Amino acid sequence: MKKLFCSIFGHHYAVSKKVTSHIKEYKCIHCRKEVTTDVTGNLSILTPELQDINRTLERIYQNRHSEHQVA
C-alpha cells in the first residue's frame, strides 16, 4: 500500500544520515527507499558501492574536522 502511495504522489524523503556537510543519505518515510546525493548534487539510489563510498567520505570528513578543532 505504501509503495502505491509513493508511485502516485512521489517519495517523501527524510535525512537518515549526514555524511558530510554536502552529502546526505535519505530514506522515504513511506516505502523506505534509500537515496544519497551524488557528486552533482542529484539524488541517486543508495547502492552498496555508494554506501561504501559514503562511509569512506564520512571517515575522512570527521578526521579532517577533528584535526581543525584540536589545532
Side-chain angles (χ1 to χ4, degrees), residues 7-43:
S7 65
I8 295 171
F9 298 108
H11 297 284
H12 183 208
Y13 292 115
V15 175
S16 60
K17 183 177 182 182
K18 185 176 177 183
V19 179
T20 68
S21 59
H22 299 293
I23 298 174
K24 296 173 182 65
E25 293 179 2
Y26 302 89
K27 187 182 285 189
C28 178
I29 62 170
H30 300 292
C31 69
R32 300 288 194 212
K33 180 179 179 179
E34 293 181 310
V35 295
T36 187
T37 47
D38 60 15
V39 293
T40 60
N42 297 320
L43 294 179

Side-chain angles (χ1 to χ4, degrees), residues 3 8 12 25 28 33 39 47 54 57 61 67-68 70-71:
K3 288 184 181 185
I8 295 171
H12 183 208
E25 293 179 2
C28 178
K33 180 179 179 179
V39 293
T47 62
N54 283 352
L57 283 173
Y61 182 80
E67 288 175 7
H68 289 308
V70 173

Side-chain angles (χ1 to χ4, degrees), residues 39-65:
V39 293
T40 60
N42 297 320
L43 294 179
S44 298
I45 296 173
L46 189 60
T47 62
E49 181 181 8
L50 285 175
Q51 283 179 323
D52 188 40
I53 291 169
N54 283 352
R55 278 193 297 272
T56 304
L57 283 173
E58 182 180 25
R59 190 172 52 249
I60 292 168
Y61 182 80
Q62 287 177 348
N63 286 343
R64 278 197 173 171
H65 282 71

